[in-house]
Amino acid sequence: MTITAPTSPAAEQAVFGAVAASADRSWITTTDHRRIGQLHFGFVLGALAVAGALGFVVHGTVGGWFDQGERGRTTLLALLSGHEMAFTGLIALPIWMAAATMFVPGLIGAGRLAFPRLQSLVLWTWVVSAAVMASAFLVEDSPVGFIPTSAQPLTAQGPANRATELAIGSLMLAMIAMSLGAANIIATVVTERRAGLRFGSIRPFAWGSFVASVIVVISAPVALGGLFVTYIDQHWGATLLSEPGALRMWAHAVWAWGRPDAFVLPIVAVAAFAEVIVSRSGKPLINPAVANGLLGLAGALTFTTWTGMEYKLSAISAPATRPWTALVFLPLALVTLMALAGGRGIKPSPSLLAIGAPLVMAVGGLLIAYAATTDVTDAGIFQMGSANALVLGGGIIAMAALVAELGGHVYKRSLPTLLVGLALLLLIVGGLAHAVGPALAATTDDTSAAENLHLLAALGKAALAGGAAVMLLAILSSNGRPTSATAAHEEAH
Amino acid sequence: MAVATAPAPVAADDTRRDGSAMIVAVACAVVIGTMFMAAVAGNYISVRSRAGGAVWWQGTAKMKFNNYGAVTGFLSAAFASVAMEYAVVSTRAGIKKWSSAAHGLAVLTMLAAINLAWSIGRTLGFGVNDTSYATAVYTVIAAAVIVMAVSLVGIITSWTRVLSGQASDTNWLPVRCGAWMAHLGMAAWATAWATIFLYK
């Protein structure tokens, strides 16, 4: 069998632009998956900028809030709640869904999603979710301490009030949207892929998205069920979440690090990194079937998070409580090595900053391993929470790099090299500072040094928000009329 | 072994669109509904098993578990499932009238099952916040009602396809999808019935 070379510009333009001519030009009613994906990206990058700004305020002023006593602490926790909820509900998985919406149909030779209007519904559900989440912080008594990344059940975090119910409702909407979007990706890969394209031969990002979708379809409804229980418990002032045994339900269903879908972003991040290398080099991975098998194995291993019976409230990182869950990263590391082996001798490009994804995830993994060998105290809410976020942050970097690599086919002309490179650098440097600052701050007794390290984290969050803004700018600046070259390609096809 | 990894250029109409995407999507919907019910039922079982199984009766002296109502609700939902299977057979045989009648029966019986579940939830004899066990009971019943309502939407959607002539003996997959949704609704109430009423 011969190797099909990945792609001349004209060939890829034909695949990615197969439905361009007939697509509805309206942004609202369009069925063109590329436009829907662009809207997804615009929404997610906007949410990332807002969440980054909230994180900047939290870390940059952490000492000041505590100086104001209980009121300051309450305000700090409300800001932290907004930051965490925006990240877990509106950024972490939606940024992958944006990339999958935009690129998966083209990568499997389909040129369309199985249900394009369903994907639009997913986007607008997220928009409503964001509005409900914002309203939770505008009503009286904002949700104090509803932090999905905290192992503390909700009743142990803050009081029941209308704002908390709104916050729970917004996350439920986000989970429903994620489930629907994942089902759409599964249906697209299973039924719309090019005739004769076997699962073992599907390109890395399309296959990684399929694996991630299967995980989401199985695990997100469990999170939805947990949030449903939480809502009823809060709304009727019940005591279910106050029971000692409630911790297991909370950890398996609501707590971000006790759920399989918490590991989705690292999987698609590695897949996106491999995709960038494949696209850049024009060669497939060493053994595509083995690489796809490893991604599938990583997906299967994520379900080991459900095998944990007891959870330590003080330990926030999943592998710290169940070491075998860390095995998820073994097949991902192998796929990364396979991609690196295929990347020798390729021409430099801003999209190659995708290497920042596995790099950042590796640093986060080391911090988590450190947590596993030490007794994490309550300060860990900043410490290891940031380390886990770093593992997820690799996903954001990878998705941005994927847009830089393949986005030229979607946005009709290549993204500006300078802006893309700047955005990726900001994301990588910001991601590292975001995690390393709090981790070091938790190890020092010097208050002044700790505040400076938190300031470093704040700057990291600002860099992440800035990176998102620059990436959005790069996308907007490329979404104009096609260049003469791409226009010629479209005309030819 | 060398394997092709990149899609060759294809025209837009070269992809398979035989309606199988809808079957895959409905299969995903069934998985989503099942896992949602599994989450709340698992929470219920966890609560019940706490404190050596003694938690479930605390503060619920007036509780009335209407097992007859629960059984009737299950039978109603099961009848809806059977009626939808009949609708599939009728559609494949090209008999639109029978298919439409079967859909109507399925809608009525699923509505009856939802009504029963609602009624049972209002006559349990204890409040949502009386005990953690009470909260878990209401959660399971409410979740089952939600899933059955979603399945009812699926059945009605299938019915509109039949009535509008979009489902026929050559294109019966939409009705098959509606039947799967009916089975999901039945399974949801079966879960609630089994966890709350059979093993209390």
Side-chain angles (χ1 to χ4, degrees), chain A residues 290-316:
Chain A
V290 170
N292 285 357
L294 287 169
L295 288 172
L297 175 63
L301 285 171
T302 61
F303 290 98
T304 59
T305 55
W306 279 346
T307 63
M309 296 301 289
E310 299 298 334
Y311 295 83
K312 289 187 290 184
L313 282 177
S314 57
I316 309 189

Side-chain angles (χ1 to χ4, degrees), chain A residues 291-359:
Chain A
N292 285 357
L294 287 169
L295 288 172
L297 175 63
L301 285 171
T302 61
F303 290 98
T304 59
T305 55
W306 279 346
T307 63
M309 296 301 289
E310 299 298 334
Y311 295 83
K312 289 187 290 184
L313 282 177
S314 57
I316 309 189
S317 58
T321 52
R322 292 171 303 285
W324 53 89
T325 304
L327 289 175
V328 171
F329 295 100
L330 189 60
L332 295 183
L334 291 173
V335 175
T336 303
L337 290 175
M338 290 173 77
L340 286 172
R344 287 172 299 179
I346 59 180
K347 291 180 182 177
S349 160
S351 60
L352 289 180
L353 284 169
I355 188 66
L359 176 69

